[in-house]
Amino acid sequence: MRRKIIIDTDPGQDDAVAILLALASPEEIDVLGITAVAGNVPLPLTQRNARIICELAGHTHIPVFAGCDAPLERRLVTAEHVHGKTGLDGPQLPDPTMPLQDQHGVDFIIETLRREPSGSVTLCPLGPLTNIATALTRAPDIAPRIQEIVLMGGAYFEVGNITPAAEFNIYVDPQAAEIVFKSGVPLTVMPLDLTHKALTTAERVETFRKMGTHVGQMVAEWTDFFERFDKEKYGSEGAPLHDPCVIAYLIRPDLFKGRFVNVEIETQSELTLGMTVADWWGVTNRPANATFMGDVDASGFFQLLTERIARL
Ligand code: RIB
Ligand code: CA
């Protein structure tokens, strides 16, 4: 059964690979639209990058919208140190020619959920949750109409990548994350616990380079650039492809394993702001609200990714 999805994103090299995977999988996924949010880099760049990625994939018919340019309450924190100044550093890319939609991304999310049959649209946030939280606050009636929110964000066993306690997407807008995690919408979370097991090792990057396609070459150059941060910091053998895990889950959920647990967001303490406090061991009686993923079949994931990216 094809999933109708909206991708909410802050490209970001790993967001780019996630979007390409979705666009390369029309049997399983129908991308209704892409809404950009401020995150890795400011909104003018994330909305531009989203259009560059659609053009690279030859899918200029996908409507791309600009959403919120700052978190609900906090000052925007970006991650140029990871993604470079443009957010898509690595290869040289042409300016986009496809237009940005006039409609605000949040209005597109609300309107789409009200128009499509209830329970038929999945939201796939790959960045800070500002757009999703704003839509839920502005139009509470959409919450029961959302089939599922499958997001990349958070960390428990792996702890933080932007502070000792918090993962970037949640840290940038913890108030937004709290709204989403308390919304009652079916929630599937791809935290660092999981994405750090999907590493772009050297031979996997070579697979993209050897594909002989322009898209494969771009993905190889993006991962070459993107991985230097994680290799330096974690001493890992490659960069974690965080965001593509969200899309891979829609295609092959069997590649992923997790637990349905309570997850709450730290929004008060400066020390642990943005921490996803997952009751993995069930030591409280707080109601479970999220399927928190902990394991992925990494070779199965990369096999799927390379097979699909090779189609573009
Ligand atoms: O912490 C990783 C997340 O932050 C990924 O979504 C990456 O693109 C950045 O947005
Ligand atoms: Ca992202």
Side-chain angles (χ1 to χ4, degrees):
M1 178 68 177
R2 279 184 93 198
R3 280 239 204 187
K4 287 185 280 187
I5 73 170
I6 295 174
I7 298 176
D8 189 73
T9 178
D10 65 334
Q13 289 87 349
D14 61 317
D15 303 66
V17 179
I19 294 167
L20 292 174
L21 175 58
L23 297 178
S25 307
E27 307 93 326
E28 296 93 351
I29 295 172
D30 177 5
V31 180
L32 300 182
I34 295 178
T35 50
V37 67
N40 283 320
V41 286
L43 182 67
L45 283 173
T46 57
Q47 59 89 339
R48 175 183 183 279
N49 293 342
R51 289 183 288 142
I52 287 174
I53 296 154
C54 288
E55 287 191 349
L56 175 66
H59 285 254
T60 51
H61 58 285
I62 300 281
V64 175
F65 304 80
C68 298
D69 63 3
L72 298 185
E73 291 178 23
R74 296 185 61 83
R75 195 181 36 75
L76 177 63
V77 169
T78 51
E80 285 87 350
H81 60 291
V82 180
H83 300 275
K85 207 175 41 52
T86 70
L88 279 185
D89 283 23
Q92 279 307 316
L93 295 155
D95 286 338
T97 54
M98 70 184 275
L100 177 73
Q101 301 298 313
D102 295 337
Q103 188 179 30
H104 190 286
V106 170
D107 295 329
F108 170 73
I109 290 169
I110 294 169
E111 189 183 273
T112 304
L113 284 166
R114 284 178 172 161
R115 180 190 67 241
E116 296 293 331
S118 183
S120 70
V121 176
T122 295
L123 301 183
C124 299
L126 309 178
L129 291 163
T130 317
N131 287 343
I132 312 300
T134 305
L136 286 167
T137 306
R138 201 182 290 169
D141 60 290
I142 65 172
R145 302 183 63 83
I146 300 169
Q147 177 178 21
E148 185 178 13
I149 293 178
V150 187
L151 68 87
M152 189 279 141
Y156 183 59
F157 293 102
E158 198 68 6
V159 289
N161 63 357
I162 186 82
T163 73
E167 177 278 327
F168 179 78
N169 288 342
I170 309 297
Y171 177 74
V172 169
D173 198 340
Q175 281 70 25
E178 182 175 51
I179 290 168
V180 171
F181 277 73
K182 287 196 180 324
S183 67
V185 175
L187 200 46
T188 300
V189 180
M190 299 287 163
L192 297 180
D193 305 18
L194 178 107
T195 65
H196 280 192
K197 295 174 182 170
L199 297 178
T200 55
T201 57
E203 69 266 17
R204 285 169 175 161
V205 177
E206 276 322 296
T207 313
F208 290 120
R209 213 184 309 278
K210 287 202 295 267
M211 248 173 215
T213 63
H214 180 52
V215 171
Q217 182 61 26
M218 291 297 102
V219 171
E221 291 181 27
W222 275 330
T223 37
D224 282 344
F225 181 89
F226 170 69
E227 74 178 6
R228 79 210 187 296
F229 168 78
D230 284 82
K231 279 169 106 168
E232 235 162 76
K233 184 162 124 168
Y234 292 96
S236 55
E237 47 171 328
L241 269 183
H242 307 287
D243 296 337
C245 291
V246 167
I247 305 300
Y249 167 78
L250 301 179
I251 302 167
R252 288 278 312 277
D254 57 296
L255 293 174
F256 299 86
K257 269 202 338 257
R259 270 188 201 175
F260 185 53
V261 295
N262 174 271
V263 181
E264 307 217 352
I265 310 295
E266 175 58 63
T267 57
Q268 306 304 316
S269 146
E270 277 303 319
L271 179 64
T272 56
L273 188 76
M275 182 171 188
T276 46
V277 182
D279 185 7
W280 186 264
W281 304 112
V283 295
T284 75
N285 51 19
R286 294 182 203 137
N289 59 331
T291 300
F292 201 76
M293 292 298 187
D295 245 322
V296 59
D297 167 354
S299 54
F301 167 70
F302 272 93
Q303 210 178 334
L304 172 71
L305 191 56
T306 39
E307 168 224 310
R308 295 295 165 100
I309 296 290
R311 293 178 171 183
L312 297 173

